[in-house]
Amino acid sequence: MTKKGFIFDLDGVIVDTAKYHFLAWKNLANSIGVDFSEEQNEHLKGVSRKRSLEKILDWGNKTLSEEEFNRLMGLKNEDYLSHINQMDASEILPDIEKTLDFLIDKEQGLALGSASKNAKPILKKVALLHKFDAIVDGNDVSKAKPDPEVFLNAAKLLGVAPKDCIVFEDSVAGIQAANTAHMLSIGIGQKSVLHEADYIFNDFTEISESFLLDIISNRVHKK
Ligand code: B16
Ligand code: MG
């Protein structure tokens, strides 16, 4: 059987940490007199911590010194980590573990490709870290999604050519990054948002083992 590289985004694909990012950014924004809605939170999905704060300041028409900017990023992360520390395996999204185990059984390469600098502690909390052959996260890349750096690094670590990699992503920027890397892009979420993806599913309960086997045997192609 051919070895493919299956690359998973973290937030929105493996676990729903977006709700904790929302609570922490809302606290932070409100503390400096800026409103922050769930709709605005959507625009921060897949976006780095630094870029997220820049966007919030733009929305609130605020400017800060570099020192204050860094202090606020630190505060947001402390608040976010207080939620992460409460996480356990019950927060793994439906059928993720089943999919990972199926692919491990088929001797496929498994990598994480996330913008988060907290990816490893989160995977540890939900007891999934050991299932991945490679982890590429926000600590390892200099260019954020939609730049393909994160996924190309993951492919390199897996020793699999980019054209033999498959990316599962919930953000538009992540789908664009996968497409630029010439990888098969699979959107997890709404069709109306992720229409640039080669295939789109609401969640992993819709991804059958026969579809995964078709990918492994080269019967699924980029659109
Ligand atoms: P951190 P992903 C991304 O994770 C989140 O979607 C995004 O909302 C967050 O700002 C980013 O990680 C950075 O996270 O503050 O933990 O470094 O979707 O790429 O797994
Ligand atoms: Mg994501």
Side-chain angles (χ1 to χ4, degrees), residues 61-87:
N61 254 327
K62 297 249 174 204
T63 44
L64 297 178
S65 68
E66 195 183 332
E67 195 188 355
E68 185 61 359
F69 186 97
N70 289 334
R71 193 181 74 85
L72 294 187
M73 278 208 303
L75 282 180
K76 184 269 171 178
N77 198 48
E78 270 175 36
D79 193 355
Y80 178 65
L81 287 177
S82 71
H83 296 289
I84 295 309
N85 286 332
Q86 310 292 318
M87 285 181 86

Side-chain angles (χ1 to χ4, degrees), residues 27-53:
N27 258 343
L28 197 276
N30 293 168
S31 77
I32 53 167
V34 176
D35 282 338
F36 184 66
S37 66
E38 294 215 35
E39 207 254 308
Q40 282 168 315
N41 194 52
E42 284 299 309
H43 295 279
L44 303 186
K45 284 191 177 170
V47 173
S48 72
R49 196 182 308 166
K50 182 164 176 275
R51 187 72 197 112
S52 298
L53 182 52

Side-chain angles (χ1 to χ4, degrees), residues 103-117:
L103 294 172
I104 290 168
D105 184 57
K106 299 291 172 237
E107 298 179 355
Q108 299 301 297
L110 260 60
L112 188 89
S114 165
S116 175
K117 294 188 171 179

